[in-house]
């Protein structure tokens, strides 16, 4: 994770969950993440309708896309070619209770491009049985046109699974697998568009 906002939300989520796979939605206190609240969002996965939609979305995120995102399908923000990979990444988060890091390029209505990073984190399953996911999407820079020149599409560059280290674990890092690498206190498993496995939401 390269963005301070991504790291802040990840650390907050990791602290809340303790030794559990994920924290409860009710445990999230907006005032605790006030500085990044405008970039955060909550997704709801409807298992019966097989959809992923915004349950909540921060003001900066909505302004960048030029519309209120609440209730909008998450896949609507992405190019059609990326829909499979995004759906696959979402499935990893709620099925495996594993955070996912997305690197992508946002394209504006006038053709401008801006690099973004998103982290999507699992939450404990809601009483209705539908998974909820906590996330944040932040640009690598904040150009003057962001919010005025609407982002109309996102093109995925890479998707990676992040294996968090629980706070109560030993300070001795676990040995990463051959397909993983250490980044600070995290183990990053390379993903992306290679080696696709058929998964459905």
């Amino acid at each position: 994770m390269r963005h301070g906002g991504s790291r802040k939300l990840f650390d907050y989520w990791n602290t809340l969950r303790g030794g559990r796979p994920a924290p409860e939605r009710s445990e999230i206190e907006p005032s605790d993440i006030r500085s990044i609240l405008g970039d955060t969002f909550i997704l709801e996965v409807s298992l019966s309708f097989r959809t992923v939609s915004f349950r909540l979305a921060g003001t900066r995120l909505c302004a960048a896309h030029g519309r209120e995102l609440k209730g909008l399908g998450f896949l609507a923000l992405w190019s059609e070619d990326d829909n499979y990979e995004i759906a696959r990444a979402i499935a990893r988060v709620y099925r495996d209770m594993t955070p996912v890091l997305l690197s992508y390029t946002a394209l504006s209505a006038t053709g401008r491009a801006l690099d973004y990073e998103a982290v999507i984190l699992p939450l404990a399953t809601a009483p209705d049985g539908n998974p909820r996911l906590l996330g944040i999407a932040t640009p690598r820079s904040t150009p003057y046109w962001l919010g005025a020149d609407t982002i109309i599409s996102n093109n995925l560059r890479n998707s990676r699974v992040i294996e968090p280290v629980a706070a109560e674990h030993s300070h001795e890092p676990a040995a990463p697998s051959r397909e993983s690498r250490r980044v600070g206190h995290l183990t990053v498993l390379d993903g992306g568009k290679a080696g696709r496995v058929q998964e459905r939401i």
Side-chain angles (χ1 to χ4, degrees):
M1 289 177 284
R2 299 182 179 181
H3 295 214
S6 298
R7 291 191 296 272
K8 183 169 184 175
L9 187 65
F10 180 89
D11 289 342
Y12 178 68
W13 170 87
N14 203 31
T15 299
L16 283 182
R17 76 184 184 96
R20 299 168 296 169
E24 300 280 346
R25 164 67 181 89
S26 60
E27 294 178 78
I28 299 171
E29 177 52 59
S31 62
D32 292 342
I33 51 173
R34 186 181 297 107
S35 64
I36 58 172
L37 202 58
D39 301 309
T40 61
F41 56 88
I42 291 179
L43 300 178
E44 179 176 16
V45 180
S46 172
L47 298 178
S48 57
F49 292 103
R50 295 172 62 187
T51 59
V52 183
S53 57
F54 284 97
R55 191 170 178 87
L56 293 170
T59 54
R60 283 192 296 268
L61 194 58
C62 291
H65 288 86
R67 54 180 162 173
E68 173 59 58
L69 297 179
K70 183 179 179 180
L72 183 72
F74 186 63
L75 296 183
L77 301 186
W78 302 86
S79 67
E80 188 175 346
D81 290 343
D82 290 330
N83 276 188
Y84 172 85
E85 285 297 332
I86 297 301
R88 185 171 178 238
I90 293 294
R92 282 175 173 168
V93 177
Y94 76 82
R95 287 179 180 169
D96 301 337
M97 288 291 175
T98 304
V100 165
L101 174 69
L102 305 176
S103 299
Y104 62 97
T105 300
L107 302 176
S108 76
T110 64
R112 294 182 171 109
L114 183 61
D115 287 341
Y116 262 80
E117 176 178 276
V119 174
I120 304 177
L121 308 159
L123 295 172
T125 303
D128 62 8
N130 286 330
R132 305 279 197 273
L133 310 175
L134 174 66
I136 185 169
T138 50
R140 291 192 180 178
S141 62
T142 307
Y144 71 91
W145 54 264
L146 187 61
D149 190 1
T150 303
I151 291 174
I152 59 172
S153 181
N154 297 317
N155 293 335
L156 182 67
R157 295 199 314 274
N158 195 21
S159 170
R160 297 179 179 179
V161 171
I162 304 171
E163 292 290 353
V165 178
E168 71 272 21
H169 286 182
S170 166
H171 292 293
E172 184 65 26
S177 67
R178 289 194 319 175
E179 297 180 5
S180 66
R181 55 194 174 83
R182 298 293 298 183
V183 178
H185 65 290
L186 304 175
T187 300
V188 177
L189 305 178
D190 288 332
K193 298 187 178 181
R196 292 181 173 179
V197 177
Q198 287 294 329
E199 290 186 279
R200 292 184 176 182
I201 290 180

